[in-house]
Amino acid sequence: MTSILVVDDSSTDRRLVCGLLKANTQWIVSEASSGSEALQMIALNPVDVVLTDLAMPDISGLELVTTLRRDCPRLPVVIMTGVGTDEIAVMALKLGASSYVPKCRLAQDLTDAIQGVLDAVRDDTTRERLSQRIVHHKIEFCIENDPELIASLVQYLQEETARSGICEAADRIRVGVALQEAMTNACYHGNLEVSSSLREIDHRQFYELARSRMSISPYQERRIHVAAEFSPAAACFVIRDEGPGFDPGTIPDPTVPENLEKPCGRGLLLIQMFMDEVEYSKQGNQVVLKKYRREHLGNS
């Protein structure tokens, strides 16, 4: 069972959010009406994920993210963004939040966002002595358009990132979230050619169309190619689909406030915020993601 703590000073919003989460019978949902109450609850009973509002009177969501990043680095925090909190949301992602969901899209995106973070979380074991001796390690995968395979591959690559010692626990979760978003884009938008604009209009129809295309040609024959390369300085991930591609120049700037609430903008922002370098191929069917070891950032 997975335990999720919902933090919001609005009782109405808490009821809405808890109701959405409790639809998953594998999730145990608790709630706190303030940031200080949340910290007290976590100290007594650790949880698996924290979902918090940003605008709260005693301890803001931004302060809660900062405190939990310092005291509980392995605990992922997902933030809920409302009107006027776009810039704060970007700051929260920079400070350590693992993902975000616009309040206006809770019904459509909340459970997917929480599940995406859970898929990216793995228990880490310390292998520092060995990781410091890695010279070079490269692995390649070719997988079907299968969300379960994507989640499994993300977990595997997180374990490899942990072994490489590239980043700390909290950042490994964020790397996993970025990989999850990039591979999901390759699957749905690349190989299956399902437009993100459809998801904005009809969340259910988006996934129904994707599922139908997984079993018909030419979509079902297409594969996702993933290469990961680890060195003492960095981790590099190359994700390529076999779809027709797109013009990378048309990608909207995900940091612009009006794009934060768009489904495509959310994924792009998480990828951009959690990786140190993001580069798309000219054809638009490949993305290269790089994460540098902190001490190498100044030399990258």
Side-chain angles (χ1 to χ4, degrees), residues 7-9 13 51-56 60-62 80-82 103:
V7 189
D8 198 318
D9 61 310
D13 288 352
L51 175 65
T52 183
D53 189 24
L54 280 175
M56 296 186 292
S60 69
L62 191 63
M80 295 181 286
T81 63
K103 278 196 169 183

Side-chain angles (χ1 to χ4, degrees), residues 1-5 22 24-30:
M1 300 290 283
T2 297
S3 57
I4 303 172
L5 176 61
K22 288 178 180 177
N24 188 323
T25 58
Q26 298 302 307
W27 293 350
I28 300 173
V29 183
S30 56

Side-chain angles (χ1 to χ4, degrees), residues 43-89:
L44 293 173
N45 296 293
V47 296
D48 297 304
V49 181
V50 172
L51 175 65
T52 183
D53 189 24
L54 280 175
M56 296 186 292
D58 67 335
I59 296 178
S60 69
L62 191 63
E63 292 171 321
L64 184 59
V65 168
T66 303
T67 301
L68 291 176
R69 176 65 185 269
R70 182 193 66 212
D71 298 342
C72 309
R74 288 183 171 83
L75 175 59
V77 181
V78 178
I79 56 175
M80 295 181 286
T81 63
V83 177
T85 63
D86 299 326
E87 291 184 4
I88 304 174

Side-chain angles (χ1 to χ4, degrees), residues 245-257:
F246 68 100
D247 179 4
T250 63
I251 297 177
D253 183 352
T255 62
V256 174

Side-chain angles (χ1 to χ4, degrees), residues 94-112:
K94 289 181 178 179
L95 291 175
S98 297
S99 189
Y100 78 96
V101 185
K103 278 196 169 183
C104 64
R105 291 193 58 84
L106 287 174
Q108 298 92 336
D109 296 343
L110 178 59
T111 56
D112 285 347

